[in-house]
Amino acid sequence: MRSQRRNGAWSPGDGGGGWFCARLFGRSRSRAGLNLLTIVILSRGKCGLSKCVTRYLIAMAAADLMVVIFDLILRHIPIVFKEQFQFLLSIPTCNIHAVFLFAATDCSVWFTVTFTVDRFIAICCKKLKTKYCTEKTATVVLGTVTTLSCLKNISWYFMLTDEYWKGNRPWFCFVSGKDMISLVWGTIEFLHNILTPAVPFVLILLLNLFTVRHIVLSSRARRRLRAHNSGESSKDPEMEVRRKSIILLFVISANFIILWSMIMLFTIYNRMYFLGYEYMYLHWFVQELGFMMQLLSCCTNTCIYAVTQTKFREQLKNTLKNPFNLLIQQLQQGTGQMLHMYCLL
């Protein structure tokens, strides 16, 4: 079994994994539509969120949309439907595709980190809040992250070839045998995996822990103060607003960590295997589940907003109702005109 795998006979993308991804992600247009809908709703500025928070959420939705396009539509669908996309083998652009895909993925991940940092400063660092938590600062931070993500992933252009592999693996371009077992490229790939998503995992967990600690301590202090002044423990409107605002942060952070864990595990295993460390075996299903969960993380933010934000739900309902209302109005106008013409006759 190991000799077959070493010779390239084993390929998780050639088995049931392609069918698995095809069933779960065949309707890619709906995923892109959800992110577009989120961008439109947030851009209106009617969700009761600050301009700073809105800027971060729009950037996260836009990055998720790019991941859906470059990863799901342009990468996974051609792998699943190989016969229909044979023409891709004659297009020497795979390494360029890889740069855009991994850059979009890094932006999606690190935008979540920057949003977490912004909320941590807003809640725990009151002195920095007025200077950092602004729309201008958010624009600068997001632009810097985007630039660094693009520069970081240029190395994939030189590591990968321009020919599509069309196999469902972390590398979807052909890689020369020398580079596949190279310690230099192995080190570079490990650094990529450390920066995305290992470092974001640690940062998000630490920032959330500090935020929870701060909220718990401040809540206890406010309750004691209000009970001392009023003589009764009543609801604090400010704490209610704060509680609702950070629910969004925690849910997005947990969604990111849970849905990215599996693909990070398999990517590290895949590189260790090609470097000769064969101490463990992961079934192909782990890879397919990792791909599924990673892509799912780019489609769930709309659902998260709908669950945690009341005003976003209202805007979503209004947006979905508007096309039907316009259609009904057009039908009513058309029916009225027909009746008027019939009466004239």
Side-chain angles (χ1 to χ4, degrees):
M1 178 65 181
R2 292 190 179 277
S3 61
Q4 290 178 350
R5 292 173 62 189
R6 177 68 69 184
N7 294 330
W10 176 77
S11 175
D14 297 333
W19 178 89
F20 191 63
C21 277
R23 291 294 182 183
L24 290 175
F25 294 103
R27 298 179 179 179
S28 58
R29 288 177 295 181
S30 63
R31 273 72 184 178
L34 283 175
N35 287 298
L36 281 173
L37 186 62
T38 302
I39 293 172
V40 170
I41 293 174
L42 291 173
S43 299
R44 293 174 180 172
K46 298 180 180 180
C47 296
L49 301 171
S50 67
K51 292 182 178 180
C52 176
V53 173
T54 301
R55 184 59 60 91
Y56 280 112
L57 295 181
I58 291 175
M60 290 164 62
D64 289 344
L65 176 61
M66 291 297 101
V67 174
V68 170
I69 293 173
F70 287 116
D71 201 343
L72 176 58
I73 298 177
L74 298 180
R75 174 188 177 183
H76 279 89
I77 290 181
I79 291 173
V80 174
F81 302 99
K82 294 183 179 180
E83 295 181 0
Q84 290 81 358
F85 289 89
Q86 284 295 330
F87 65 91
L88 285 179
L89 298 177
S90 61
I91 303 178
T93 58
C94 188
N95 48 358
I96 299 175
H97 179 187
V99 172
F100 283 108
L101 188 157
F102 293 126
T105 302
D106 281 5
C107 287
S108 177
V109 171
W110 280 97
F111 286 171
T112 304
V113 176
T114 57
F115 176 64
T116 306
V117 171
D118 178 84
R119 292 299 86 198
F120 169 76
I121 293 175
I123 295 172
C124 302
C125 307
K126 297 298 183 182
K127 293 182 180 179
L128 292 176
K129 179 179 178 180
T130 55
K131 295 182 179 180
Y132 184 85
C133 301
T134 63
E135 187 177 10
K136 181 179 179 180
T137 303
T139 303
V140 173
V141 170
L142 293 171
T144 303
V145 170
T146 302
T147 303
L148 292 177
S149 297
C150 293
L151 293 175
K152 166 182 172 290
N153 288 285
I154 289 178
S155 59
W156 292 108
Y157 178 85
F158 302 99
M159 179 178 176
L160 305 174
T161 66
D162 57 7
E163 185 178 354
Y164 282 92
W165 189 344
K166 295 186 70 176
N168 202 22
R169 295 189 182 185
W171 300 325
F172 62 100
C173 305
F174 275 103
V175 185
S176 65
K178 182 175 66 175
D179 290 338
M180 190 175 292
I181 61 175
S182 169
L183 288 175
V184 175
W185 283 116
T187 303
I188 293 174
E189 187 174 1
F190 270 125
L191 290 176
H192 276 288
N193 291 329
I194 290 173
L195 291 174
T196 306
V199 172
F201 276 11
V202 177
L203 289 176
I204 289 174
L205 285 174
L206 288 177
L207 290 172
N208 283 345
L209 285 174
F210 289 138
T211 304
V212 170
R213 178 178 177 274
H214 177 83
I215 290 174
V216 170
L217 293 178
S218 61
S219 298
R220 289 176 180 174
R222 285 183 65 86
R223 280 198 298 266
R224 286 196 299 266
L225 181 61
R226 287 175 61 84
H228 177 73
N229 293 335
S230 62
E232 58 180 0
S233 179
S234 58
K235 282 190 175 182
D236 186 350
E238 182 177 343
M239 295 307 300
E240 286 294 317
V241 172
R242 184 182 297 182
R243 182 185 64 82
K244 291 180 180 179
S245 66
I246 86 165
I247 286 176
L248 177 62
L249 168 66
F250 290 148
V251 174
I252 289 179
S253 302
N255 172 71
F256 165 72
I257 292 174
I258 293 172
L259 296 182
W260 268 87
S261 299
M262 195 70 69
I263 192 62
M264 184 181 71
L265 173 65
F266 188 88
T267 301
I268 294 174
Y269 159 77
N270 187 67
R271 168 48 75 178
M272 295 291 289
Y273 172 81
F274 281 110
L275 289 177
Y277 297 94
E278 303 180 13
Y279 302 116
M280 61 180 296
Y281 167 69
L282 293 179
H283 196 270
W284 64 263
F285 181 78
V286 176
Q287 175 190 254
E288 298 298 333
L289 185 61
F291 280 134
M292 180 197 75
M293 293 173 69
Q294 178 200 348
L295 292 173
L296 187 62
S297 69
C298 299
C299 311
T300 53
N301 282 345
T302 302
C303 299
I304 291 173
Y305 303 150
V307 170
T308 60
Q309 299 295 315
T310 304
K311 290 187 177 181
F312 184 88
R313 287 199 301 270
E314 295 174 357
Q315 291 296 317
L316 179 61
K317 290 178 182 178
N318 293 335
T319 303
L320 294 176
K321 287 179 180 179
N322 281 337
F324 296 102
N325 292 336
L326 291 174
L327 179 61
I328 292 173
Q329 290 177 4
Q330 293 294 328
L331 290 175
Q332 289 176 346
Q333 290 177 1
T335 304
Q337 291 177 357
M338 291 178 63
L339 291 174
H340 180 67
M341 292 176 62
Y342 177 78
C343 292
L344 291 177
L345 293 174

